Amino acid sequence: MNDLNALRVFLTLMQTQSTLKTAKALGRSQSYVSKTLAQLRIDLADPLFVRSAEGLSPTSYAQNIEPKLRSALADITDALKPDTFNPKSVDKITLHIIEPYLIGCGKEIIDAIRSHTSTPIEIRQWNKSSESLLLTEEVDLAVHALTDKPQSIYQKYIHTGTGVLYGNTDGEYVKYMVADLNEHIDWYKLLDSDAQATIFVDNHALMTQLMEQCYTLRYITSETPEKAPLHLDMAILTKASRKNEEKVKWLIEIVEPILRRYTPLSYSSTPN
């Protein structure tokens, strides 16, 4: 068995016990899989698989060589990996970022990535699907609050922020809703226990338009957040098993310093 493609066919057949499922898994035709299996039977002088009610059942010989071949394929795959990471070889980059940071840092992040590679960049606002998309590796990196998350999510602390009431405090209070952050928490009551939200928005641009007649909680970074009644830690997130992946480490190197320079967004020209 000196053909890597044939090796992959054999190992996939061991998992699927079906030529059709193997063909779909490898992106090949069923006839290709059948022909490859026929040649393997000749080369190895063993039927390898016999038909049964469950599908293709491996012979004792096939079961014996599988772990050795799987280990060999893993070694070959590792050996063929490039020694150095090249951003130009990346197929796509996907980031999900909490809205204030998306607005304040998004363009600089895109410009920084684009200076290294012309690969497609997808950068979106964090949403309720973002965490699951990190785990399925459809999202490479995310920016959100540092909170209690499963161990499968790696969080790298960026900095700590706090908040101040901002706008026309004689008007209605506008609660700026951020997915997976404050839907069920009224942090503004730590600053004004009598305040009651009567307008709820999840769009920063709309909120800024309301500041002449309303007020809200404005997020700001702070060097001494421990002295504030409210503090919020921000973090870079990725799948824990990917934190040492070259692509992810490269993205963190680009994104982290930009996030650390984050300047709180302007809500309006209306003084507090």
Side-chain angles (χ1 to χ4, degrees), residues 24-38:
K24 289 181 177 179
L26 297 177
R28 296 278 193 167
S29 67
Q30 188 175 10
S31 62
Y32 169 83
V33 173
S34 297
K35 290 178 181 177
T36 302
L37 176 57

Side-chain angles (χ1 to χ4, degrees), residues 230-249:
L230 167 65
H231 64 272
L232 181 65
D233 296 334
M234 299 304 299
I236 295 173
L237 283 62
T238 191
K239 185 178 181 181
S241 60
R242 298 187 68 194
K243 69 177 182 178
N244 293 318
E245 184 180 304
E246 291 302 320
K247 177 185 179 182
V248 169
K249 290 195 294 184

